[in-house]
């Protein structure tokens, strides 16, 4: 499953290739240091038959080795939903045409924000590791998410996201 074993399991990031987007930078403020000059966003994909799609983050990444959402820095002027779907496609091959946006949740620190875009899978797909930022991409049953070592930001938001997700709803 891991197409980039040396990069994802190493504590050293892979060599950078291609141009860097202006949004790919750290911002700092009174609440800490965060990735994404224009904010960041990620996708919480929910498939009633499989659970939620989680990314085991590369060891070299910020909070590496933890489980979180495919996502990343927004581009300048990019809407958070668009950025989250772009990042989820780039990192996990989440096809935007196979999902339906249910809701968004925003953590806003003023100088930086993170938007979680919660989607329901309409047409089943298998995620694909397509860059070195992932050790694994797995569908995790909802009841098992808390058993994982979660990215701190995702761990803090998971209870509220789960409550809003309403996994018992008939779709």
């Amino acid at each position: 499953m891991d197409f980039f074993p040396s990069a994802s399991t190493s504590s050293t990031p892979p060599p950078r290739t291609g141009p860097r987007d202006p949004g790919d930078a750290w911002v700092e403020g009174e609440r800490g240091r965060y990735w994404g000059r224009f904010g960041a966003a990620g996708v919480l994909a929910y498939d009633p038959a499989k659970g939620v799609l989680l990314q085991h983050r590369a060891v070299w990444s910020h909070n590496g080795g933890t489980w979180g959402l495919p996502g990343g820095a927004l581009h300048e002027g990019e809407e958070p939903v668009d950025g989250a779907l772009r990042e989820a496609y780039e990192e996990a091959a989440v096809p935007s045409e196979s999902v339906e946006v249910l809701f968004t949740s925003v953590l806003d620190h003023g100088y930086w924000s993170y938007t979680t875009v919660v989607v329901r899978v309409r047409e089943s797909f298998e995620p694909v590791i397509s860059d070195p930022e992932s050790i694994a991409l797995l569908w995790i049953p909802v009841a098992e998410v808390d058993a994982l070592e979660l990215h701190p930001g995702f761990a803090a938001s998971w209870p509220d996201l789960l409550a809003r997700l309403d996994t018992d709803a008939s779709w």
Side-chain angles (χ1 to χ4, degrees):
M1 177 179 272
D2 187 358
F3 298 114
F4 301 93
S6 62
S8 58
T9 57
S10 167
S11 61
T12 305
R16 184 167 310 282
T17 59
R20 185 176 194 152
D21 185 89
D24 290 341
W26 292 99
V27 294
E28 294 189 46
E30 64 279 356
R31 292 187 165 195
R33 183 177 184 224
Y34 298 95
W35 183 251
R37 186 170 158 222
F38 308 113
V43 166
L44 175 62
Y46 171 63
D47 184 325
K50 298 178 184 177
V52 294
L53 177 62
L54 295 183
Q55 173 193 52
H56 195 190
R57 298 167 55 81
V59 174
W60 55 263
S61 68
H62 187 246
N63 292 300
T66 61
W67 290 85
L69 305 178
L74 296 174
H75 294 173
E76 187 171 15
E78 186 174 42
E79 292 297 319
V81 170
D82 295 334
L85 291 171
R86 174 186 52 76
E87 284 282 343
Y89 182 77
E90 289 174 3
E91 294 183 1
V94 174
S96 61
E97 66 277 1
S98 298
V99 300
E100 171 189 11
V101 175
L102 297 177
F103 63 89
T104 61
S105 177
V106 180
L107 170 68
D108 191 348
H109 289 320
Y111 64 97
W112 181 85
S113 66
Y114 185 90
T115 302
T116 302
V117 178
V118 179
V119 302
R120 181 189 179 277
V121 175
R122 288 285 188 193
E123 185 177 325
S124 184
F125 66 91
E126 286 305 315
V128 176
I129 295 175
S130 54
D131 73 10
E133 295 179 28
S134 301
I135 295 170
L137 295 164
L138 296 175
W139 291 103
I140 306 295
V142 171
E144 297 176 19
V145 170
D146 285 325
L148 299 173
E149 183 181 350
L150 300 177
H151 179 282
F154 179 57
S157 65
W158 174 241
D160 291 331
L161 294 169
L162 179 58
R164 290 184 66 192
L165 188 57
D166 189 13
T167 58
D168 294 327
S170 64
W171 305 94

